[in-house]
């Protein structure tokens, strides 16, 4: 694969080239990793930036429906929207359905939208390991907004906050009590909480749930990256497309404030340091995957199992052979 021609096509906004590049960066083959690194280095000077919006929520809350309605609204305003949807992988087979694109039928036909489902594989935190690199590719391709939809598994899904400029949390009406609003974890990472399905018989319930969370958010310690009034809770209806314009207005308001106060750049710098640390850790773990390291682990495993060596001492011996 010629990375020069691929980078040129990405900079021109070709969706097929972008899809091919994301496949390249998601590959674990050594030659593909080298090509991906070269490609990202070539695109690093493009200077293009998108608004990165992380989106999480429990399964069934309507994340895909919200993204489609929200994405259609944004493309209707002339913006280019990329959606990176992370699907859970089977713990048994390792496979993923990758069905998020089929749920966004209207948006998938939109010429100014790009939807890419990716498997989470064994990576925890609700995102795929190479999602950050996929975001960089979407930015280089000229997309204005990148939506990162997480697996949606619970309150530990905080890694997406290390990828995004804004973090939205979608909740269902009557999905819990106000105590959830002050629990540590995903709740305190959210910039805006959206109570979805505020329509029909659930509209009144959604309004009460929103009020509960708004009250709970006021009990949280104020964060330095927030202006007055944030984080906040709002009601939306993805099906009836109600509240989307107001939610977008609040996102833009928060983004402008963070840009004007230097928080945007500081946040992205902190995220770069975080992912550097993660890459170092993954590289060190990869050194345990060599035949020599595996043979040494098998030998030490036998010593530990027989009770002749304690686990801590065995670990020290193994690490000593790697240094």
């Amino acid at each position: 694969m010629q990375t020069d021609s691929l980078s040129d096509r990405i900079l021109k906004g070709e969706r097929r080239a972008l899809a091919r590049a994301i496949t390249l960066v998601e590959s674990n083959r050594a030659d593909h990793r080298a090509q991906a690194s070269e490609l990202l280095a070539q695109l690093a000077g493009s200077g293009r930036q998108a608004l990165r919006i992380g989106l999480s929520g429990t399964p069934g809350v309507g994340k895909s429906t919200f993204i489609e309605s929200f994405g259609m609204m944004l493309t209707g305003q002339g913006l280019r929207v990329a959606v990176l949807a992370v699907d859970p992988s089977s713990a048994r087979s390792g496979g993923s359905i990758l069905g998020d694109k089929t749920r966004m039928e209207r948006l998938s036909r939109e010429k100014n939208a790009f939807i890419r489902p990716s498997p989470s594989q064994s990576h925890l935190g609700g995102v795929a390991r190479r999602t950050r690199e996929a975001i960089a590719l979407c930015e280089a391709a000229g997309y204005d907004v990148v939506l990162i939809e997480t697996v949606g598994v619970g309150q530990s899904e905080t890694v997406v906050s290390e990828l995004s400029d804004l973090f939205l949390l979608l909740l269902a009406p009557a999905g819990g009590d106000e105590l959830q609003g002050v629990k540590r974890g995903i709740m305190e990472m959210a910039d805006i909480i959206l109570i979805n399905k505020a329509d029909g018989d659930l509209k009144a319930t959604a309004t009460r749930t929103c009020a509960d969370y708004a009250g709970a958010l006021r009990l949280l310690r104020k964060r330095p990256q927030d202006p007055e009034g944030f984080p906040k809770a709002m009601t939306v209806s993805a099906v009836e497309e109600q509240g989307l314009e107001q939610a977008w207005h609040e996102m833009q308001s928060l983004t402008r404030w963070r840009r004007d106060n230097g928080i945007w750049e500081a946040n992205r710098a902190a995220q770069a340091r975080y992912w550097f640390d993660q890459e170092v850790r993954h590289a060190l773990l990869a050194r345990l995957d060599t035949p020599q390291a595996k043979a040494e682990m098998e030998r030490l495993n036998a010593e530990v199992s027989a009770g002749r060596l304690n686990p801590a001492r065995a670990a020290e011996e193994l690490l000593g052979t790697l240094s």
Side-chain angles (χ1 to χ4, degrees):
M1 185 181 298
Q2 295 295 319
T3 56
D4 290 340
S5 61
L6 191 59
S7 64
D8 290 339
R9 291 167 58 200
I10 290 171
L11 291 172
K12 291 176 184 176
E14 292 186 23
R15 287 195 290 186
R16 183 172 294 181
L18 176 58
R20 191 176 181 187
I22 293 177
T23 299
L24 180 66
V25 302
E26 288 180 343
S27 174
N28 289 322
R29 277 178 44 175
D31 57 334
H32 287 175
R33 289 306 307 152
Q35 288 179 316
S37 180
E38 182 183 347
L39 176 63
L40 290 165
Q42 291 171 356
L43 295 172
S46 68
R48 295 175 178 175
Q49 285 190 334
L51 176 59
R52 307 170 184 173
I53 301 176
L55 186 83
S56 188
T58 54
V61 76
K63 294 190 297 295
S64 297
T65 307
F66 172 82
I67 287 175
E68 180 171 54
S69 298
F70 187 60
M72 290 298 294
M73 183 197 74
L74 295 179
T75 55
Q77 296 178 6
L79 297 173
R80 300 185 71 210
V81 179
V83 179
L84 301 176
V86 182
D87 266 8
S89 297
S90 169
R92 295 182 178 179
S93 67
S96 299
I97 296 176
L98 301 181
D100 282 296
K101 193 169 184 176
T102 63
R103 293 195 186 118
M104 306 177 197
E105 187 179 352
R106 286 188 302 148
L107 191 61
S108 64
R109 295 197 301 264
E110 177 60 47
K111 67 176 182 178
N112 285 327
F114 173 81
I115 304 174
R116 173 68 181 223
S118 298
S120 64
Q121 298 175 324
S122 60
H123 193 70
L124 300 178
V127 297
R129 183 184 169 191
R130 299 298 174 186
T131 299
R132 184 176 186 273
E133 294 176 352
I135 292 171
L137 292 172
C138 292
E139 288 186 319
Y143 285 90
D144 303 298
V145 179
V146 179
L147 295 167
I148 308 110
E149 180 192 1
T150 70
V151 168
V153 290
Q155 290 190 335
S156 63
E157 257 185 68
T158 56
V159 176
V160 70
S161 66
E162 299 291 349
L163 293 165
S164 53
D165 303 309
L166 298 176
F167 181 29
L168 309 183
L169 180 61
L170 249 66
L171 297 175
D177 55 44
E178 64 273 13
L179 176 62
Q180 301 293 331
V182 292
K183 281 190 176 179
R184 297 302 181 250
I186 196 169
M187 295 296 302
E188 64 179 354
M189 308 301 293
D191 295 309
I192 300 176
I193 294 175
L194 299 175
I195 313 301
N196 194 24
K197 303 184 180 181
D199 48 61
D201 294 338
L202 289 174
K203 189 168 186 177
T205 307
T207 303
R208 288 195 301 271
T209 303
C210 181
D212 287 341
Y213 278 101
L217 287 174
R218 286 194 288 270
L219 300 176
L220 289 176
R221 183 180 301 168
K222 183 170 174 57
R223 307 180 304 182
Q225 70 266 33
D226 293 331
E228 194 63 37
F230 284 90
K232 62 174 55 182
M234 305 175 64
T235 58
V236 294
S237 170
V239 172
E240 295 184 352
E241 300 185 359
Q242 298 293 320
L244 301 181
E245 289 276 3
Q246 182 61 26
W248 176 233
H249 173 76
E250 296 294 349
M251 293 178 214
Q252 290 177 301
S253 174
L254 180 57
T255 301
R256 280 194 300 270
W257 186 88
R258 287 181 173 173
R259 281 184 178 275
D260 293 342
N261 289 273
I263 292 171
W264 172 285
E265 293 80 3
N267 184 46
R268 288 209 168 185
Q271 289 176 351
R273 291 193 296 271
Y274 172 86
W275 289 106
F276 166 68
D277 178 77
Q278 292 300 305
E279 284 298 320
V280 171
R281 292 173 186 271
H282 280 296
L284 290 174
L285 288 173
R287 294 178 65 181
L288 295 175
D289 209 26
T290 61
Q292 297 87 347
K294 286 181 177 179
E296 183 64 10
M297 283 190 74
E298 284 297 320
R299 183 186 71 81
L300 292 170
N301 265 328
E303 293 291 310
V304 171
S305 298
R308 292 188 293 268
L309 201 60
N310 69 63
R313 184 61 182 271
E316 286 179 12
E317 285 192 26
L318 178 63
L319 293 174
T321 64
L322 296 177
S323 58

